[in-house]
Amino acid sequence: MSSHRLIFHATLIVLLLNSTHTSCHTKGIKPKRSSSSSSSSSSSVNMTRVQDSEQQFMKWVDFVGSLKHSVFKIAKNKVSTSHTITVDKNPKFGDFTSIQAAVDSLPAINLVRVVIKLHAGVYTEKVTIPPLKSYITIEGVGADKTIVQWGDTAQTLGPTGQPLGTYGSATFAVNSPFFIAKNITFKNTSPVPAPGAVGKQAVAFRISADTAVLVGCKFLGAQDTLYDQWGRHYYKDCYIEGSVDFIFGNGLSLFENCHVHAIASRVGAVTAQGRNSILDESGFSFVKCKVTGSGALYLGRAWGPFSRVVFSYTYMDNIIIPKGWYNWGDPSREMTVFYGQYKCTGAGAGFAGRVAWSRELTDQEAKPFLSLTFIDGSEWISI
């Protein structure tokens, strides 16, 4: 890392810490008023601090908007199909009868775009795409007609006799870059756990690699449905269902025109974004989405101390808890998270009851989160 970048990051840290510290507007703290003159003086000082806070915050927003995410290399996608493989439950109609067999047939290091077409059916299997098998497209004939399902949870015992854990519970796991999925349902069949149950995390889909595109897909589960672990990802026209933290991880991901549906019996949460540092270039942005379902729902819980989530132009049903966000039981995270809304609608979208450490964004503040530039999408997305 060059000395210029180190200086820049150090400056950014100072600016951001100053910004978050002064802009959280902690409830219950008001200037003392001993006289009219002191009141005027205090108001003047307070206004100066607010203005300074806003200026520092906008410097950070401008930085986010111009960011070329340095932790990722230039993404060179391959969109021209080299060859196509078909999968059908009936061996007479496909090259393979299972998705995993089709994946296993590819070279250990795959460097060409391969399309695996799934014929209609329910594929009851656990699928893993290894790290070096890049450029794979999995394409179904419709999310309601092409279903991949399995039923592991975090406490399910694996081949070694040890619990699989949340990471290992995934029905479908992607570990390679430039993955594409279209028109498929990824499902974890484990039942909705009772409130407070331990070891019932059950992932339907895990993406642990950079540059993934998912279009017209469904993700069905309960607790921890979609594990967006790390990397840049684009979800378009998808349906995501779950109860608690059902979109979680430390990815840098854009959700556009997606339907998020809660099946919580009591209290649930849409997101648990895991950003752990100011320098983590990650976060979730929801644009033109819809949030519906049952139970009482938080928009997000601060799994990471610098958790970052923004909802824009999103319809929210009346299931949203007025506070909107939860600090994961750690008040110190209120000073470092970034939670925002922008021009959302619906009975659950009202900002008046939101926690003081979330933001209702202005046009300028929201701009970096509204388009593919949030995930450097012009580099690698072609659908």
Side-chain angles (χ1 to χ4, degrees):
M1 182 178 287
S2 67
S3 60
H4 293 294
R5 178 168 287 180
L6 287 173
I7 293 171
F8 176 75
H9 279 157
T11 304
L12 172 64
I13 290 171
V14 172
L15 290 176
L16 184 56
L17 287 177
N18 287 339
S19 169
T20 54
H21 180 74
T22 56
S23 64
C24 285
H25 310 301
T26 304
K27 290 181 178 179
I29 299 179
K30 298 181 179 179
K32 294 180 179 179
R33 297 185 178 182
S34 56
S35 65
S36 60
S37 60
S38 64
S39 175
S40 175
S41 175
S42 296
S43 296
S44 177
V45 171
N46 190 49
M47 181 58 67
T48 300
R49 288 176 177 173
V50 170
Q51 291 172 345
D52 181 65
S53 169
E54 292 301 318
Q55 290 173 359
Q56 299 298 342
F57 175 74
M58 283 313 306
K59 288 181 181 179
W60 180 81
V61 169
D62 289 341
F63 164 73
V64 171
S66 63
L67 194 62
K68 295 294 289 182
H69 300 94
S70 60
V71 297
F72 301 110
K73 297 179 181 179
I74 295 298
K76 297 180 179 180
N77 200 356
K78 297 179 181 180
V79 295
S80 298
T81 302
S82 173
H83 63 280
T84 300
I85 298 172
T86 58
V87 180
D88 196 293
K89 300 294 290 182
N90 188 331
K92 295 181 180 180
F93 302 114
D95 299 315
F96 297 92
T97 58
S98 75
I99 304 167
Q100 190 64 60
V103 172
D104 291 344
S105 73
L106 302 179
I109 301 177
N110 187 65
L111 299 176
V112 296
R113 174 63 63 184
V114 177
V115 176
I116 300 176
K117 289 197 172 183
L118 308 183
H119 293 171
V122 177
Y123 297 86
T124 304
E125 58 175 304
K126 194 176 175 79
V127 180
T128 299
I129 297 181
L132 299 181
K133 295 193 178 186
S134 306
Y135 307 108
I136 292 178
T137 297
I138 305 283
E139 187 172 339
V141 296
D144 293 330
K145 297 179 181 179
T146 315
I147 300 167
V148 186
Q149 64 179 26
W150 198 253
D152 283 343
T153 68
Q155 66 182 10
T156 300
L157 299 182
T160 64
Q162 297 298 315
L164 291 171
T166 303
Y167 180 93
S169 70
T171 295
F172 200 106
V174 178
N175 303 289
S176 61
F178 300 107
F179 174 80
I180 298 174
K182 296 181 179 180
N183 307 321
I184 302 170
T185 289
F186 302 98
K187 183 177 183 179
N188 191 305
T189 59
S190 297
V192 180
V198 177
K200 297 299 183 180
Q201 298 91 337
V203 176
F205 182 89
R206 172 173 57 79
I207 175 68
S208 305
D210 192 23
T211 54
V213 175
L214 300 108
V215 180
C217 292
K218 289 187 176 183
F219 305 88
L220 306 181
Q223 184 173 350
D224 294 3
T225 301
L226 174 56
Y227 192 176
D228 193 270
Q229 190 183 21
W230 76 272
R232 292 167 293 182
H233 312 133
Y234 179 49
Y235 301 83
K236 182 176 174 59
D237 302 328
C238 291
Y239 176 90
I240 308 161
E241 181 178 282
S243 57
V244 178
D245 304 336
F246 57 97
I247 303 173
F248 75 110
N250 195 30
L252 176 66
S253 299
L254 176 65
F255 299 80
E256 185 175 3
N257 197 37
C258 292
H259 184 178
V260 177
H261 186 75
I263 55 172
S265 58
R266 294 183 186 174
V267 179
V270 176
T271 66
Q273 206 280 328
R275 188 165 171 253
N276 284 306
S277 163
I278 329 174
L279 301 181
D280 275 0
E281 297 169 1
S282 69
F284 298 159
S285 178
F286 296 81
V287 180
K288 297 178 182 177
C289 294
K290 179 167 62 174
V291 182
T292 63
S294 61
L297 199 66
Y298 286 106
L299 293 172
R301 302 202 301 160
W303 188 30
F306 291 84
S307 180
R308 178 167 64 178
V309 182
V310 172
F311 286 86
S312 305
Y313 298 116
T314 293
Y315 171 83
M316 300 178 184
D317 214 343
N318 61 1
I319 60 172
I320 305 300
I321 294 171
K323 290 183 177 180
W325 309 91
Y326 180 64
N327 64 13
W328 206 270
D330 182 0
S332 68
R333 301 189 181 199
E334 297 174 10
M335 305 297 292
T336 53
V337 299
F338 182 86
Y339 290 148
Q341 287 182 217
Y342 177 68
K343 294 187 177 180
C344 293
T345 60
F351 196 79
R354 294 291 188 257
V355 292
W357 35 276
S358 67
R359 280 183 170 269
E360 188 168 25
L361 305 182
T362 65
D363 294 347
Q364 188 179 1
E365 291 167 355
K367 186 176 179 181
F369 303 94
L370 297 178
S371 70
L372 289 175
T373 57
F374 180 65
I375 53 175
D376 307 322
S378 60
E379 282 185 14
W380 53 276
I381 294 175
S382 179
I383 54 175

